[in-house]
Amino acid sequence: MADIQRTLVLLKPDALQRDLLGDIISRFERKGLKIAGLKLFQLSDEQLNVHYAHLSEKGFFADLKKFMMHTPVVGMVLEGIEAVAEVRKIVGSTNPREADAGTIRADFSMNVSSNLVHASDSVENAEAEVKRFFADDQIFAYQKITDQYIFG
Ligand code: DAT
Ligand code: MG
């Protein structure tokens, strides 16, 4: 039985400013990931303190939060087989210059502080992050006629 997971993706303010939202969303769609949630919203300082708690001691923490609040972000809940790891693979390493060619970060960005996309890094974090940003009634379970061709 396939391990169907949900994961949280944020398209950061640099993706919005650079008109890359469509290109980035398209990469996830082409993989076959199902969009279970999608919205434009403004991040708050409180949300970012929780979301980036693992970086709170870093010198760049304040700048990171400021950057993430420059504009609204696009939040997505993506669903697919082993979606957490697959989405991280498509997004690429944190530092875009170390990311593999063909990943979003390698193909579209150059600097760690503007690497376009957030993606959950573990199944546990994905569950918490989806809950953090999406209410239950903003997440949808539905059939697509392509499901059998993509999920097997
Ligand atoms: P990831 O986004 O790949 O999960 P992370 O959780 O370690 O990486 O860091 C979250 C974000 O913080 C990252 O996408 C960009 C920013 N960041 C990380 N390391 C940084 C650094 N050395 N300088 C500036 N920003 C950094
Ligand atoms: Mg992270």
Side-chain angles (χ1 to χ4, degrees), residues 52 54 88 118-119 121:
Y52 283 141
H54 60 295
R88 287 287 291 194
H118 166 82
D121 64 3

Side-chain angles (χ1 to χ4, degrees), residues 11 15 19-27 29:
L11 309 186
D19 301 321
L20 290 171
L21 299 177
D23 284 308
I24 294 170
I25 292 170
S26 177
R27 289 189 173 214
E29 283 188 301

Side-chain angles (χ1 to χ4, degrees), residues 5-149:
Q5 301 169 352
R6 282 178 176 165
T7 191
L8 187 278
V9 165
L10 299 174
L11 309 186
K12 300 181 183 183
D14 49 336
L16 182 147
Q17 290 287 0
R18 295 178 54 205
D19 301 321
L20 290 171
L21 299 177
D23 284 308
I24 294 170
I25 292 170
S26 177
R27 289 189 173 214
F28 296 125
E29 283 188 301
R30 281 169 9 192
K31 175 70 176 177
L33 289 150
K34 192 184 283 189
I35 298 173
L38 178 66
K39 64 176 179 178
L40 186 71
F41 69 106
Q42 177 64 46
L43 286 166
S44 69
D45 194 60
E46 294 71 28
Q47 281 176 318
L48 286 164
N49 282 336
V50 177
H51 187 64
Y52 283 141
H54 60 295
L55 300 171
S56 62
E57 304 301 317
K58 301 283 187 189
F60 57 80
F61 187 57
D63 285 342
L64 169 63
K65 290 197 293 175
K66 208 167 133 194
F67 169 73
M68 291 296 288
M69 293 189 287
H70 269 174
T71 68
V73 296
V74 172
M76 305 180 76
V77 180
L78 294 175
E79 189 175 284
I81 303 170
E82 296 176 20
V84 175
E86 287 306 302
V87 167
R88 287 287 291 194
K89 205 190 289 176
I90 292 167
V91 168
S93 299
T94 307
N95 181 342
R97 299 193 306 286
E98 290 169 6
D100 291 330
T103 63
I104 293 166
R105 283 169 167 171
D107 289 357
F108 298 131
S109 64
M110 279 193 239
N111 194 325
V112 68
S113 59
S114 46
N115 60 8
L116 297 169
V117 189
H118 166 82
S120 307
D121 64 3
S122 69
V123 173
E124 298 72 44
N125 284 342
E127 203 174 319
E129 291 177 1
V130 166
K131 279 207 186 83
R132 182 173 305 146
F133 298 114
F134 281 81
D136 287 346
D137 66 0
Q138 294 176 325
I139 302 171
F140 300 87
Y142 57 92
Q143 301 297 314
K144 290 176 77 177
I145 55 169
T146 49
D147 281 353
Q148 63 179 305
Y149 300 103

